[in-house]
Amino acid sequence: MTKFLLAVHVLAAIVAIGPVTVAASMFPPAARRALAAPDDARAAETVQLLHRICRVYAGVGIAVPVFGFLTAGAMGVLGDAWLIASIVLTVLAALVLVVLVLPRQEILTEGTAGAGTGTGTGGTATREATHEGTRAATVQLAMFTGIFNLLWATVTVLMIVRPGSTTGA
């Protein structure tokens, strides 16, 4: 049963967390392109798709810690330091995603909602000021996304190396 739980845990991590990390990383530059070209409907659709991927797979990603806890219980390692560190980092990654990444993606996605409609308003000065503000927002989003990705990379390494584990590596 332990091997089955471990296999489901690993597959859930690959299938759920992988798409979120990739789509979240692609989102800031895609948002910059969409906001810089408000008449480009395809760019706006790309931003909306990337955000939807992040939202949906974040929900699916709940399976990762669920099967992780089941696997750890079956292996008898719930009190091991490497696992506790992984749990803390997983919680931090989830918080970064839910509190810092997804809401900022939502705001930028709404900012691209009018793209492709030809409804751009304002003069050159207004567009330049808006561009600078959105560029700063996408840079900040890229930073939070990088933190999210680094947290997951660290958890992955801890899951593989399992420092101090007596269950074999």
Side-chain angles (χ1 to χ4, degrees):
M1 185 60 144
T2 301
K3 288 182 182 183
F4 171 76
L5 291 172
L6 181 59
V8 173
H9 171 64
V10 170
L11 286 171
I14 292 168
V15 170
I17 306 305
V20 174
T21 59
V22 172
S25 296
M26 292 173 65
F27 187 93
R32 277 192 291 275
R33 282 191 299 277
L35 292 165
D39 293 331
D40 187 353
R42 185 123 172 115
E45 291 167 359
T46 299
V47 169
Q48 293 165 358
L49 175 64
L50 291 171
H51 179 56
R52 187 175 15 208
I53 289 169
C54 290
R55 273 192 337 231
V56 169
Y57 282 94
V60 174
I62 293 170
V64 177
V66 168
F67 281 97
F69 276 112
L70 292 172
T71 303
M75 293 174 67
V77 295
L78 281 171
D80 286 9
W82 65 270
L83 184 66
I84 294 168
S86 294
I87 292 167
V88 169
L89 292 174
T90 298
V91 168
L92 287 173
L95 287 172
V96 167
L97 182 64
V98 171
V99 175
L100 300 174
V101 174
L102 292 176
R104 282 170 174 76
Q105 282 186 352
E106 184 71 32
I107 290 166
L108 289 166
T109 300
E110 290 170 1
T112 64
T117 62
T119 59
T121 59
T124 303
T126 302
R127 281 193 300 269
E128 287 176 10
T130 302
H131 175 71
E132 286 305 312
T134 55
R135 173 146 177 78
T138 60
V139 168
Q140 186 181 53
L141 175 59
M143 176 190 67
F144 291 135
T145 300
I147 292 167
F148 169 76
N149 291 343
L150 284 172
L151 287 167
W152 274 116
T154 305
V155 169
T156 302
V157 170
L158 283 172
M159 291 287 151
I160 294 168
V161 176
R162 300 185 304 181
S165 175
T166 58
T167 60

